Amino acid sequence: MTSILIQGGNVLDVDSLTFTAADVLIENGLISRVGPNLSAPAGAETIQAKGLTVMPGMIDCHTHVVASQLNLGQNAILPNALATLRAVPILSGILMRGFTTVRDAGGADFSLAEAIRTDVIDGPRIFPAGHALSQTGGHGDFRQRNDLIEPCACSLKVGNIGRVVDGEDDVRLAIREEIMKGATQIKIMASGGVASPNDPIHFLGFSEKEIRAAVEEAGNAGTYVMAHAYTPRAISRAVQCGVRTIEHGNLVDATTAQIMKEHNAFMVPTLITYEALANEGAGLGFPAESVAKIEAVRGDGKKALEILAKAGVKMGLGTDLLGALHRHQSEELKLRADILGNGMTLQQATLVGAEIIGMTDKLGIIKAGAIADVLLVDGNPLTDISCLLGQGEHIRTIIKDGKTYKN
C-alpha cells in the first residue's frame, strides 16, 4: 500500500477543537505519525496542504443507502440486483461529501460493505444493520391494508429496509439470522414512523419482552440494539429495556432525556430528512399518508437538540435520507451548528460517531494509530461550517483506509 505524506496543513483536533500546524504520515492504511517536518518514506505520495484544514473523515450514524426512492413500499419490491445497483451512486455521493463511514439503519448488508472494502465500488465504510426488525403493522411493514394480510417476504428483498417479526422466539431467530448474514448491530422499530403506511407516530413497537429479547440476543453476539423511536414513552421504554442508541427522538422531553443520560444511551437525531421531505417529498413520490405525518415530528426536532444537550446526552450525527434527497446529507451539519455550535456538531460527526460504532481512537480522529480516514478542506469548519456543505466542493482531498479517492 502506498504511503502518503500530507505536508503543512492545519490539523484539527476534534477533541480539543484546536488546530496544530503539522504533517501527517500515512502508512499501510493507518496514520503512523503526526508532527512537524516529517520525512516521506521512499516512494511515498506527497500532498501539499498549506492553508487547508486536515480533519478526520466524517461518520453518518443513520443512513439507508439502498433507499433509492422515497416510496419505501415501492423500493421494497425492486428486483434485488436493481436495488443493489441503484445504491452504487448513492454510496459514491456519500463518500464525495466527506463521509468516510456510515452506520446503515436498515437495508445495507454484508455484500455492499464487502464490495466497498474490496474496492469493487467506491463508497464509505459501512456498518450494516441488515434488515431492521418491525412488528406486524409497524414502521418496517410496508404492506397496504387489505382483507387478507399475506405473509411478508421482506427478509428476502434487498430494497426492503426491514423485516416483519412477531413474538420473542421470532425476534431471536431474526436477530441470529441478521448477525449470521453480517449485521454489525441490530435495528428495531420501537414506535410508529413517518415513511410507513399504517402506524401513527404514537404507536409503540414490540412488547417489552420482545425488546429485551432483542437486546439479549444482540448482546450475546457482542453487539447492541438501535431503536427507531419518537415519543417520550417509546424512548424511555426502549432505553430501560437496554437499547443503546435511539434514532430520531424528535419528541423527547427533559424527563426522558435524563433517563437516557442515566442509562448512558446515545441519541442520533436526523433533522435534515424532515426538512427535505417537507420541501420536496410530495413532488418526488412520497406517499400522501406519510406526507401528512411530517409536521407531527418536524417542528420539535430542533427543540430536541437543546433538551438533549442540556441533559448531557451524547448525540451522533444521522441523516436518514431517501431517494433523490440523499444530496442534502451535509445540510444536517448546518442545522445542528445553528443550534449547538460548529464545534459540538463536528464532534458529533466524528468522535461521538466513532464511539457509537465501537471505533473510538480508530475513526473520527487524526492521531497515530488511527485508521487513515482524512479530509483536506478549503476553509475552517470551526468558524464556517459551510466549507463542509454541498457535494464536497470545498473538500480538496478524501482519503479512506489510506487510499486517496479524491485529490
Side-chain angles (χ1 to χ4, degrees):
M1 183 176 290
T2 303
S3 299
I4 301 173
L5 179 62
I6 302 171
Q7 289 185 316
N10 300 314
V11 179
L12 174 59
D13 183 333
V14 288
D15 188 10
S16 64
L17 298 176
T18 58
F19 287 98
T20 303
D23 301 337
V24 178
L25 180 60
I26 296 170
E27 298 179 290
N28 299 317
L30 301 177
I31 297 172
S32 61
R33 284 186 287 165
V34 180
N37 304 316
L38 299 182
S39 298
E45 175 187 358
T46 300
I47 299 176
Q48 297 297 330
K50 185 176 181 180
L52 302 178
T53 293
V54 180
M55 64 173 283
M58 294 182 288
I59 301 168
D60 188 333
C61 280
H62 193 116
T63 63
H64 295 290
V65 300
V66 302
S68 59
Q69 49 191 332
L70 272 67
N71 188 322
L72 291 178
Q74 292 299 310
N75 204 83
I77 60 176
L78 288 174
N80 285 351
L82 184 56
T84 301
L85 290 170
R86 283 185 171 182
V88 173
I90 292 172
L91 289 161
S92 176
I94 289 171
L95 180 60
M96 290 300 103
R97 287 187 284 271
F99 291 90
T100 53
T101 300
V102 299
R103 183 183 66 153
D104 198 82
D109 59 10
F110 169 80
S111 62
L112 273 179
E114 187 68 2
I116 290 170
R117 188 190 70 81
T118 57
D119 288 323
V120 174
I121 59 174
D122 288 349
R125 179 185 299 102
I126 300 178
F127 287 80
H131 287 92
L133 273 57
S134 168
Q135 68 181 45
T136 293
H139 184 51
D141 187 349
F142 297 100
R143 296 172 294 181
Q144 296 296 316
R145 286 193 171 99
N146 210 322
D147 297 328
L148 177 65
I149 305 300
E150 297 183 356
C152 183
C154 38
S155 64
L156 305 176
K157 302 296 291 184
V158 168
N160 199 324
I161 68 167
R163 61 185 290 183
V164 175
V165 293
D166 295 289
E168 293 175 63
D169 289 344
D170 281 352
V171 165
R172 292 181 187 276
L173 175 59
I175 289 174
R176 291 169 185 173
E177 288 179 347
E178 294 302 328
I179 294 292
M180 184 177 179
K181 291 190 292 183
T184 54
Q185 67 281 332
I186 295 300
K187 166 79 174 297
I188 66 169
M189 306 302 192
S191 83
V194 172
S196 42
N198 302 316
D199 54 326
I201 300 297
H202 69 273
F203 271 26
L204 294 177
F206 292 116
S207 68
E208 290 189 17
K209 288 184 178 180
E210 288 170 319
I211 297 174
R212 292 185 188 279
V215 169
E216 181 182 7
E217 285 299 326
N220 289 346
T223 188
Y224 64 93
V225 173
M226 56 190 295
H228 162 108
Y230 281 112
T231 64
R233 186 181 176 198
I235 295 167
S236 59
R237 182 172 176 259
V239 168
Q240 289 167 336
C241 287
V243 167
R244 183 165 176 262
T245 78
I246 298 295
E247 312 302 305
H248 317 302
N250 297 48
L251 305 180
V252 68
D253 58 20
T255 300
T256 307
Q258 189 57 43
I259 291 172
M260 291 189 67
K261 175 66 174 176
E262 291 169 358
H263 285 78
N264 297 314
F266 296 83
M267 181 71 84
V268 181
T270 57
L271 301 185
I272 186 56
T273 193
Y274 310 106
E275 298 301 313
L277 287 170
N279 294 330
E280 301 180 39
L284 291 172
F286 200 49
E289 62 267 23
S290 294
V291 170
K293 295 181 183 181
I294 296 171
E295 292 306 319
V297 294
R298 178 191 182 193
D300 290 310
K302 295 179 181 179
K303 185 192 303 181
L305 291 188
E306 297 174 345
I307 292 170
L308 293 160
K310 184 176 181 179
V313 176
K314 290 185 178 181
M315 290 178 270
L317 182 137
T319 54
D320 192 34
L321 292 163
L322 310 173
L325 302 179
H326 282 284
R327 72 186 189 281
H328 294 298
Q329 182 182 27
S330 300
E331 294 170 35
E332 180 74 21
L333 295 164
K334 180 66 165 61
L335 290 172
R336 294 189 187 217
D338 286 346
I339 300 166
L340 303 173
N342 294 10
M344 181 178 287
T345 298
L346 289 170
Q347 289 173 335
Q348 292 173 358
T350 54
L351 293 176
V352 181
E355 187 176 357
I356 285 173
I357 59 180
M359 296 294 284
T360 298
D361 291 331
K362 293 297 182 184
L363 293 174
I365 196 166
I366 303 292
K367 63 178 289 188
I371 295 170
D373 285 13
V374 183
L375 309 179
L376 272 59
V377 181
D378 187 3
N380 179 353
L382 285 181
T383 57
D384 184 6
I385 203 75
S386 67
C387 64
L388 296 176
L389 304 187
Q391 308 308 309
E393 293 89 348
H394 297 285
I395 303 175
R396 298 289 186 85
T397 300
I398 298 172
I399 298 170
K400 177 174 71 76
D401 277 324
K403 179 180 177 182
T404 303
Y405 288 85
K406 177 183 179 182
N407 186 18

